[in-house]
Amino acid sequence: MSRINKNVILALLTLTSSAFLLFQLYYYKHYLSAKNGAGLSKSKGSQIGFDSIQWRAVKKFIMLTSSQNVPVFLIDPLILELINKNFEQVKNTSHGSASECKFLCVPRDFTAFALQYHLWKNEEGWFRIAENMGFQCLKIESKDPRLDGIDSLSGTEIPLHYICKLAAHAIHLVVFHERSGNYLWHGHLRLKGHIDRKFVPFRKLQFGRYPGAFDRPELQQVTVDGLVLLIPKDPVHFLEEVPHSRFIECRYKEARAFFQYLDDNTVEAVAFRKSAKELLQLAARTLKKLGVRFWLSSGTCLGWYRQCNIIPYSKDVDLGIFIQDYKSDIISAFHDAGLPLKHKFGKVEDSLELSFQGKDDVKLDIFFFYEENDHMWNGGTQAKTGKKFKYLFPKFTLCWTEFVDMKLHVPCETIEYIEANYGKTWKIPVKTWDWKRSPPNVQPNGIWPVSEWDEVIQLY
């Protein structure tokens, strides 16, 4: 009898253990896996998406920022692209009426938001409340580059990024700061020594790999997956800015060293810089209206990189434009802006160069750049003879910078660009410059046929 009882008890224990194991497997599959984001929106917007950790993290974040009057807006490229493609549907959705999680449940590690720092009234209080709501938050700070030109304030730190993690999903809050020229800037997300590199997969962040500059966006309110959000009113323009937003600071430290060596504050120098600044601002407005990309070139680029200022003895403003961005109404647009054409050399298909006359005898030179297999080049023409010259540059891309209180383009590969034009000794000022012989990247490029050159001469 005792032997039978032992067998029965053993069988009962085995059955109970098996049942408990099956219950654990069922519980993990239907509850824990969903909470940990294992089944994130695989059904492409099914009702179960509202139980995903992504949606719950975004919902909590929106509740937090709304209660604290923190004016965040969505900048996540993936979600903005989806919203833009389905904007009519989004526009007609009311708060809380969503039947499926179509946008915020797209699988990813981060959801990106932004705010304008000057509108943030309670930064520290918000940070504490976020942690009380279950978020683990990381604050990234660095020095304020706007103060680098002021010795007494250089090194002052400002917040640049917040990473707030809830379980397996993180909110990336990008802090935008106002800059001269009415644009917004965010800093580089640099991890300092004490920061846990495994806190989140930082390499998957879409913002912060480098500093970025954006036009100040006008915002609109929309309802997305039942949540009320702010997004850029023109999401297409914002999405176009994202891959081309990289920003390079002026080198204030090197500029201060340069001015200790040579500084020109004569009446003539101050007057020229003022006139050149006004001319550059007028040219920038005109080209922006036309939708033409341009960048600081030649001496104007050198002045920005070497001394964060306009070179007073250069006597002109130099800009570069890719020939594919040329528009036939450039000349008439500058004429209407009060800048008449002074010279036109070359043709659109070869060595085009335009020169416009500004006030106070300051000239605007626009060089058009052509792309070859392994380099780029712009042309130059000697007015008396029609002799052509070619200036070779390594291939480059464009970045934003701030110069004379404006957001302007410069070559990202700045040092290679400048050394191509001015050689390794570009730090040393040279007041006598022969554009036909001095540049190390110049080479002869033939001569215009008499018939074609006569056509150009007729323009004067």
Side-chain angles (χ1 to χ4, degrees), residues 288-305:
K288 186 174 182 179
K289 286 180 182 177
L290 290 171
V292 174
R293 291 181 301 168
F294 69 94
W295 65 91
L296 304 181
S297 190
S298 302
T300 307
C301 183
L302 175 62
W304 162 75
Y305 191 72

Side-chain angles (χ1 to χ4, degrees), residues 25 28 31 43 60 195 260 275 390 436 451 460:
L25 290 172
Y28 177 82
Y31 292 95
S43 57
K60 261 195 172 186
I195 294 177
Q260 289 177 354
S275 297
K390 202 173 189 178
K436 302 181 295 297
S451 59
Y460 302 129

